[in-house]
Amino acid sequence: MACTGWWFIWSYCLAFILLKYGEGVRVTVRETNLEVVQGDSVTLPCSFFTMMPLFRLNIIWTFMSPSDPQSPTQVIVYDNGQVIESPAFTGRVGFAGIPWSADIILNSTRVSDAGIYRCVVSNPPETGDPGIGELSLSVLAPPSLPVCLWDGDAGAGGTVSLSCMVSEGMPTPEMRWEKLEPEQVSLPVIMEEDHTGSVHIANVSSQTSGLYRCSVTNVLGTQNCYVNLSVYTSSHSSPGILQGVLLTLSMALVLLALLVLVLWLHRSGQEIKWRDGGEEDECYNEIRYTPSLMKRSFV
Ligand SMILES: *[C@@H]1O[C@H](CO)[C@@H](O)[C@H](O)[C@H]1NC(C)=O
Ligand SMILES: *[C@@H]1O[C@H](CO)[C@@H](O)[C@H](O)[C@H]1NC(C)=O
Ligand SMILES: *[C@@H]1O[C@H](CO)[C@@H](O)[C@H](O)[C@H]1NC(C)=O
């Protein structure tokens, strides 16, 4: 008797649904935006309603990575009572309530699992379009260890840039640069491509020297890297050497000039003597005065 009652209700509902919704498998997704921490398990929900027996139930789960939304990949398939896992998810995915529900469990989640998941349910001989459900999965991950680097001229008066790069972290980690010693100072960070944050310090001086820390933080944690910057001052050492070198050089130049002068004087004295002897016609003045000079010198 109970059975007859059940079948009566079932038939009534069936007729009602047929009238109200027409044909086809209907799919509902209880939660369309899911979040999971990397490494944890997550259930991707997909419920369906069909009016036919489940002998030929077919369920296909596909995944679209945000980096390649044009080519969805298969995750897992249920077909004619058989489960087929795709190689990319082998050992990590399974149906949670087959054949009554199309929910799947994804174990040991990875950052690369983040994206859009779609379940497609058909149940021949039920006609009409297959039911489709869609949800988006975010995989949260703590920041990876950042890499700190410095670049530029660490001589006094130079310009130095400190850069910090973090490759992983979901949500995207926030970055801070601080000088720790001698006192803690926050520095303005310029964000660049590929999650790199830089700090530019112009006209560095000995006060710029010290320990700098880059911290990357998101909801799951914080990681740090450090730069130990030491600015060298050139004002005491190398200009002293430079001055010494310059002084020596100029002294040598003066000596050389003196030598050249002496040699030149010596040669010009000889030339005058030669002219006195051989070129009398050309230089009247010299000729005129020289004898008298010579006479005087002999007197
Ligand atoms: C996922 O993990 C749960 C609990 O650890 C386990 O029962 C289940 O078999 C795992 N599923 C797959 C597909 O590995
Ligand atoms: C660089 O710093 C020194 C001392 O710290 C200062 O005297 C000089 O004016 C600064 N130069 C510039 C271009 O800011
Ligand atoms: C930073 O470098 C200076 C000199 O090179 C050194 O004396 C100091 O101990 C270093 N500090 C750290 C934290 O490494």
Side-chain angles (χ1 to χ4, degrees), residues 81-98:
Q82 275 198 313
V83 175
I84 305 143
E85 294 169 32
S86 94
F89 293 87
T90 300
R92 297 199 296 130
V93 69
F95 282 100
I98 207 80

Side-chain angles (χ1 to χ4, degrees), residues 281-295:
D281 298 338
E282 284 183 7
C283 313
Y284 296 105
N285 291 342
E286 259 181 61
I287 294 163
R288 211 171 282 168
Y289 291 118
T290 318
S292 58
L293 273 172
M294 284 177 86
K295 268 177 204 164

Side-chain angles (χ1 to χ4, degrees), residues 178-189:
E178 283 166 304
K179 189 180 181 193
L180 298 181
E181 292 164 359
E183 72 226 25
Q184 200 155 338
V185 187
S186 218
L187 301 161
V189 181

Side-chain angles (χ1 to χ4, degrees), residues 181 210-211 226-230:
E181 292 164 359
L211 192 63
Y226 300 86
V227 166
N228 190 2
L229 192 69
S230 48

Side-chain angles (χ1 to χ4, degrees), residues 130-171:
I132 297 177
E134 195 175 271
L135 61 88
S136 122
L137 178 70
S138 308
V139 180
L140 308 185
S144 57
L145 197 67
V147 177
C148 282
L149 292 170
W150 76 269
D151 191 19
D153 174 13
T159 298
V160 166
S161 346
L162 309 175
S163 63
C164 179
M165 210 199 88
V166 60
S167 53
E168 275 178 28
M170 189 68 211

